[in-house]
Amino acid sequence: MAMVVICASATVLSFVLGWFVLGGRNVPKEHSLWGHEVYIAPVYLVGLLVCIAGLVHSPKAKLACCCCARRQREDDPLVHSDEDEYASSTDFSTLQEPRRRPASTLLLGLLFAVTGGAFSAAQFLVINWAKKYERAKLGCTPDFSAPPACTVWKEAFDPSGSWLVSFGIGAFLVTSCYVVLLMAAAKCRGQPLPSFHWQVMRGPGFLAGTLWSIADFFIVLGVAKGGNSIVMAQTSSAQQLLTSGLWGLLYYKEIKKTGNVVLWCAFALLTLAFMLLLQHEKVSS
């Protein structure tokens, strides 16, 4: 549920803000239908969101045939005898219903998920919004080639140069704040300071951080070249879920039942189809 909300929030916010705030190449194509100009991209976006939900829930979906299961239980005398014995030896008055999660916990989880998706969308929205703002303020051409004062800003927004360095500095500062707040909370509660577990995490933690940084570089590069509305709808949700799902399917063997594997593959193919259709709606630069 959380993964669906996070990915859907990031996708929808990137699409809507890219379209209505940034404009330009983020505005999808118009199509003539029955004498009216319409946008088809939102339809493909909805289909992509449905496929995202399918990718998340298909591994645990219950696909067993109810009629077949009922018929098997009726034909098996051992099942009936076990059920009768259980019913005669169990005092059902002492059984308690499973405790449900309070509504506040669900709402808080949804709030955190939406917030995570919003910050994910904003992270990659900033670069194009800042370029648009500075270009309008200085009267620069779209490629920052004129007037001469704009050439400095071209380097400042280079995804493989200054922008990447500034992003790394921001990530370091935020991580440092997390560590300080965590230590302060432990100190106030009279608990021992948390350990970094460097002996265990230096390998996996360093590898995860390296892969995350490489992925972020290519996502920023794609957003800078292709815009937020289309690229983020494909990258921030669909491609990441497909990649992680394939790892879970092929390497970790997380999906055991054949029916769930087929269902997941069907949603994966539909996701790819909607990604290609959505890419086709991008206006040529």
Side-chain angles (χ1 to χ4, degrees):
M1 181 65 176
M3 284 299 300
V4 175
V5 175
I6 292 172
C7 293
S9 301
T11 300
V12 172
L13 286 174
S14 297
F15 186 83
V16 173
L17 294 179
W19 185 349
F20 293 102
V21 176
L22 297 178
R25 60 184 175 178
N26 292 281
V27 178
K29 291 180 181 179
E30 291 185 1
H31 297 267
S32 180
L33 183 63
W34 297 315
H36 299 279
E37 296 297 323
V38 297
Y39 295 101
I40 303 181
V43 178
Y44 297 151
L45 180 67
V46 172
L48 189 62
L49 295 176
V50 173
C51 291
I52 289 173
L55 287 173
V56 173
H57 291 294
S58 58
K60 297 181 179 180
K62 295 181 180 180
L63 304 176
C65 177
C66 297
C67 296
C68 297
R70 187 182 299 112
R71 188 179 302 113
Q72 183 179 3
R73 290 167 61 87
E74 292 175 352
D75 296 339
D76 191 350
L78 295 178
V79 173
H80 288 287
S81 60
D82 292 340
E83 289 179 346
D84 295 339
E85 182 179 354
Y86 174 77
S88 60
S89 60
T90 303
D91 184 7
F92 291 97
S93 61
T94 60
L95 297 179
Q96 297 181 353
E97 295 183 359
R99 182 178 300 177
R100 297 181 179 180
R101 294 182 179 180
S104 58
T105 302
L106 176 61
L107 292 177
L108 191 61
L110 290 176
L111 177 62
F112 287 153
V114 172
T115 304
F119 276 101
S120 178
Q123 171 189 351
F124 300 103
L125 186 72
V126 167
I127 182 171
N128 282 332
W129 176 83
K131 288 169 65 175
K132 180 181 179 181
Y133 174 79
E134 294 296 339
R135 187 167 55 237
K137 186 174 70 173
L138 299 175
C140 303
T141 57
D143 60 352
F144 288 95
S145 59
C150 296
T151 56
V152 177
W153 291 104
K154 182 178 181 179
E155 170 60 27
F157 290 110
D158 183 8
S160 59
S162 301
W163 182 265
L164 188 65
V165 174
S166 63
F167 176 83
I169 295 174
F172 173 78
L173 293 176
V174 171
T175 304
S176 301
C177 291
Y178 285 159
V179 173
V180 171
L181 290 175
L182 188 63
M183 289 183 173
K187 193 72 174 178
C188 293
R189 296 174 181 175
Q191 299 175 349
L193 296 179
S195 173
F196 287 100
H197 299 286
W198 175 248
Q199 295 296 329
V200 178
M201 295 304 298
R202 61 183 178 183
F206 179 79
L207 179 61
T210 302
L211 294 175
W212 180 81
S213 300
I214 295 173
D216 185 85
F217 165 72
F218 282 107
I219 293 175
V220 171
L221 192 63
V223 168
K225 298 296 183 182
N228 289 79
S229 60
I230 303 298
V231 173
M232 283 303 297
Q234 298 173 328
T235 305
S236 68
S237 53
Q239 292 181 8
Q240 293 181 11
L241 284 177
L242 282 175
T243 304
S244 59
L246 284 174
W247 273 97
L249 176 65
L250 301 177
Y251 183 78
Y252 293 106
K253 309 295 183 182
E254 293 176 344
I255 309 178
K256 305 295 184 181
K257 298 180 180 179
T258 304
N260 295 88
V261 173
V262 173
L263 184 62
W264 187 92
C265 291
F267 276 114
L269 292 176
L270 287 174
T271 300
L272 291 174
F274 279 113
M275 286 170 55
L276 294 176
L277 290 171
L278 195 59
Q279 176 64 30
H280 184 67
E281 294 302 305
K282 181 179 180 296
V283 177
S284 301
S285 302

